[in-house]
C-alpha cells in the first residue's frame, strides 16, 4: 500500500520562538521518524496547495482570516497567550489547510491508498470564530467540510490529548460528519465532556471519550470497541479524516496520559478499517516530546502503508476503562 506524503519546507518557516512547544523541530522529528522506520518506499511525495479565501470561509468567519493576515503582514505577534505568528505563518497555515484538499484530489485520482499530511501549525482548536491553542486554521475540519459538501459522509477521529473544540464546533449541528475524540479531561481547552453530543440535526454525531490522567491503551481500545464502533457502523462513513496528535504519549511534557507508540499503531489500525482504502486522510496535530513524536508518527504512517513499525509495545493497566462503559451506556 502507498501513502501520499504531503509536506513542505515552508511549514518550517512558521516561527513561534525558541521556547514555544509547537516548533519547527516537531516536523523534522516526524520526517526523521518515518525515515528511520524504513517507510520511504511506501510514500508518494505530494505538494500541498494554498487554501483560498473561499475555502477557508467554508469553515471560518472572515474575522479569523483577517486577524491572521493582518498579524502576519505586520511581522507576527500573539493572537492569544498560546498562539504565535511570524511573518511567514499565514502561508504555512494556508498550506496546512490546503494539504487535505490536495489529498482528496490525489486520492480521487487513485494516486495512493491513504494520505498523511505532515503539516504545521496544527488545526483542531481553531473554531469558526477564533484561532487558538497553537492553531490558526482548522485543516481537518476544512477537509471534512469539503467532502461533506460534495455529498460524502465523513468520520473525523481525533486522538490528540487535547480536545478538538474547534472541529466539534464546526460540525456541532451537522449530521453529515461524525466527530469522535479521545482526550485528557478535565484539561485544556475545557471542552469535551461525555454528554457533549451535538445539537439539532447533529445530535448524536459527536462522541467524546474524556480520559483520566494516566489512561493507557487498553482503555482507548475498549472505548472504540464498546462505544464508538457500533455508532460508527450505524453512521456508515464514506471517508475518514484523522486528527493524528501524538501528545497522549506518556513522555509528552504538556499532558498526563499513558500511551506508547504501539497504542497509536493499534488505534490507527482499528480506525482505518471503517472506510475503504483510498479514503483515509490523516493530519499531524500535537505531540511535543520529539523522540515520542517521531516514534508515534512513524507507527501511524506504517499502518496507513499496510505494514508495522512498533518501537515500543502497547500499554495496559492504567485508569480509564470506565469511560468506555459510560459512553456505551449513553449511546445505547
Amino acid at each position: 500500500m502507498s501513502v501520499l506524503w504531503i509536506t513542505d519546507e515552508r511549514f518550517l518557516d512558521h516561527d513561534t520562538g525558541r521556547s514555544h512547544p509547537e516548533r519547527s523541530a516537531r516536523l523534522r522529528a516526524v520526517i526523521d521518524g518515518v525515515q528511520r522506520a524504513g517507510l520511504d518506499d511506501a510514500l508518494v511525495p505530494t505538494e500541498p496547495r494554498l487554501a483560498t479565501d473561499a475555502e477557508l470561509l467554508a469553515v471560518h468567519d472572515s474575522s479569523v482570516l483577517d486577524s491572521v493576515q493582518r498579524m502576519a503582514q505586520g511581522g507576527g505577534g500573539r493572537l492569544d497567550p498560546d498562539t504565535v505568528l511570524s511573518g511567514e505563518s499565514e502561508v504555512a497555515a494556508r498550506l496546512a489547510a490546503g494539504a487535505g484538499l490536495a489529498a482528496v484530489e490525489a486520492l480521487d485520482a487513485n494516486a495512493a491508498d491513504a494520505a498523511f499530511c505532515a503539516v504545521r501549525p496544527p488545526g483542531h482548536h481553531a473554531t469558526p470564530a477564533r484561532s487558538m491553542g497553537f492553531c490558526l486554521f482548522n485543516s481537518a475540519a476544512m477537509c471534512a467540510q469539503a467532502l461533506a459538501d460534495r455529498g460524502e459522509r465523513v468520520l473525523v477521529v481525533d486522538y490528540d490529548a487535547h480536545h478538538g473544540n474547534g472541529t466539534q464546533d464546526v460540525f456541532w449541528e451537522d449530521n453529515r460528519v461524525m466527530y469522535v475524540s479521545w482526550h485528557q479531561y478535565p484539561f485544556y481547552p475545557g471542552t469535551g465532556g461525555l454528554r457533549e453530543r451535538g445539537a439539532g440535526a447533529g445530535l448524536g454525531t459527536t462522541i467524546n471519550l474524556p480520559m483520566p490522567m494516566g489512561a493507557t491503551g487498553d482503555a482507548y481500545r475498549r472505548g472504540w470497541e464498546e462505544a464508538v464502533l457500533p455508532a460508527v457502523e450505524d453512521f456508515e462513513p464514506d471517508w475518514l479524516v484523522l486528527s493524528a496528535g501524538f501528545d497522549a504519549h506518556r513522555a509528552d511534557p504538556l499532558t498526563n496520559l499513558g500511551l506508547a507508540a504501539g497504542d497509536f499503531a493499534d488505534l490507527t489500525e482499528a480506525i482505518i478499517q471503517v472506510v475503504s482504502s483510498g479514503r483515509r486522510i490523516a493530519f499531524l496535530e500535537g505531540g511535543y516530546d520529539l523522540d515520542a513524536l517521531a516514534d508515534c508518527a512513524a507507527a501511524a504512517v506504517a499502518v496507513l502503508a499496510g505494514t508495522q513499525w512498533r518501537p515500543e509495545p502497547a500499554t495496559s493497566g492504567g485508569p480509564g476503562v470506565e469511560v468506555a462503559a459510560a459512553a456505551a451506556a449513553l449511546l445505547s
Side-chain angles (χ1 to χ4, degrees), residues 123-127 130 132-135 138 160 162-166 188-189:
H124 72 153
H125 292 309
T127 75
R130 180 185 175 194
M132 60 178 287
F134 309 166
C135 304
N138 195 320
D160 190 279
H162 301 87
H163 181 242
N165 59 302
Y188 181 88

Side-chain angles (χ1 to χ4, degrees), residues 130-305:
R130 180 185 175 194
S131 301
M132 60 178 287
F134 309 166
C135 304
L136 303 185
F137 305 135
N138 195 320
S139 305
M142 283 186 55
C143 181
Q145 181 77 47
L147 288 166
D149 285 347
R150 74 180 204 184
E152 311 284 3
R153 294 177 66 78
V154 186
L155 173 65
V156 181
V157 178
D158 186 338
Y159 51 48
D160 190 279
H162 301 87
H163 181 242
N165 59 302
T167 309
Q168 176 172 287
D169 284 359
V170 171
F171 300 114
W172 187 247
E173 297 186 15
D174 191 338
N175 63 1
R176 304 171 302 169
V177 177
M178 173 172 278
Y179 177 65
V180 176
S181 175
W182 288 272
H183 46 272
Q184 184 174 331
Y185 186 87
F187 201 52
Y188 181 88
T191 53
L194 192 67
R195 296 187 178 276
E196 295 176 26
R197 301 185 58 207
L203 181 62
T205 56
T206 293
I207 301 174
N208 284 302
L209 295 133
M211 308 303 288
M213 290 191 298
T216 45
D218 54 340
Y220 277 66
R221 293 186 290 274
R222 185 167 171 180
W224 174 260
E225 293 164 2
E226 295 183 6
V228 178
L229 184 57
V232 168
E233 289 175 339
D234 287 344
F235 180 72
E236 297 182 328
D238 302 308
W239 284 77
L240 168 69
V241 174
L242 176 61
S243 273
F246 301 106
D247 46 1
H249 190 280
R250 58 194 173 196
D252 197 273
L254 301 189
T255 66
N256 309 102
L257 292 168
L259 301 192
D263 296 306
F264 288 105
D266 285 346
L267 286 170
T268 305
E269 177 67 31
I271 291 163
I272 66 171
Q273 300 305 317
V274 300
V275 300
S276 301
S277 175
R279 296 188 168 198
R280 303 160 177 170
I281 302 174
F283 290 84
L284 177 64
E285 298 280 4
Y288 305 99
D289 179 272
L290 298 183
D291 290 337
L293 176 59
D295 284 346
C296 294
V301 174
V303 169
L304 294 175

